[in-house]
Amino acid sequence: MAESIQSLDQLSQLKPAAPEAPRYVKKVDKYGRAYATGKRKDAVARVWVKPGTGKISVNTRDVETYFARPVLRMMIQQPLVAAARAGQYDVICTVAGGGLSGQAGAVRHGLSKALTNFEPELRGVLKKGGFLTRDSRSVERKKYGRAKARKSFQFSKR
């Protein structure tokens, strides 16, 4: 040891500094768009966000025609409403796999991630709302000797 510690003050100076919280930076491409991938069940959505009038298009179709159910459209709007950015961004997304409900969840997840790439200060609001967490629930596999994943065949003693 090169030096010996004489007092408690010197001991506190030896302690390593607390690690800083990670800084998130704005990530946009050359067209000024932020990109993110969202997933839910078997659906995968690629989402681009850019400043605009609030137009949302899914697979080159308008969101009203692609997601006919109002619940699914409301689900997609949730991150924008939570961040108080409704009508400020144009959203373009391509989605594949799964059903409509899973696709809407994937678009919501991708939209939330793309918003944090465009405006890193929105991360706290979206994280608190649970929009940045990937919903890992998926369909349970069918087991052999069973009718479905858990359902058994009818039992008869005779």
Side-chain angles (χ1 to χ4, degrees), residues 14 26 37 56 76 86 110-111 125 130 146 154:
L14 288 176
K26 184 176 179 177
T37 306
I56 300 175
I76 291 169
L111 176 58
V125 175
R146 300 241 168 203
Q154 184 174 347

Side-chain angles (χ1 to χ4, degrees), residues 10 16 56 63 65 78-79 82 103 108 114 129-130 133-134 146 152 156:
Q10 292 175 338
I56 300 175
V63 72
T65 56
Q78 280 178 335
Q103 287 184 350
R108 181 177 91 160
T133 307
R134 191 240 197 259
R146 300 241 168 203
S152 299
S156 174

Side-chain angles (χ1 to χ4, degrees), residues 89-105:
Y89 290 107
D90 285 345
V91 180
I92 299 133
C93 52
T94 59
V95 64
L100 283 178
S101 177
Q103 287 184 350

Side-chain angles (χ1 to χ4, degrees), residues 31-138:
Y31 302 108
R33 303 176 302 184
Y35 168 78
T37 306
K39 296 181 180 182
R40 168 85 169 93
K41 292 187 178 180
D42 280 338
V44 179
R46 301 184 305 159
V47 182
W48 289 268
V49 171
K50 63 180 180 180
T53 58
K55 184 176 178 290
I56 300 175
S57 65
V58 182
N59 291 352
T60 67
R61 286 191 277 177
D62 196 43
V63 72
E64 279 79 20
T65 56
Y66 195 85
F67 293 112
R69 284 188 283 176
V71 173
L72 299 179
R73 289 197 301 267
M74 181 266 300
M75 200 168 137
I76 291 169
Q77 291 282 342
Q78 280 178 335
L80 293 167
V81 172
R85 299 290 189 275
Q88 295 182 19
Y89 290 107
D90 285 345
V91 180
I92 299 133
C93 52
T94 59
V95 64
L100 283 178
S101 177
Q103 287 184 350
V107 170
R108 181 177 91 160
H109 184 229
L111 176 58
S112 305
K113 286 168 64 176
L115 278 174
T116 56
N117 286 343
F118 200 88
E119 283 188 71
E121 58 271 8
L122 293 178
R123 184 174 171 81
V125 175
L126 294 172
K127 184 110 175 121
K128 201 169 200 175
F131 301 120
L132 295 176
T133 307
R134 191 240 197 259
D135 191 353
S136 59
R137 295 176 296 166
S138 62

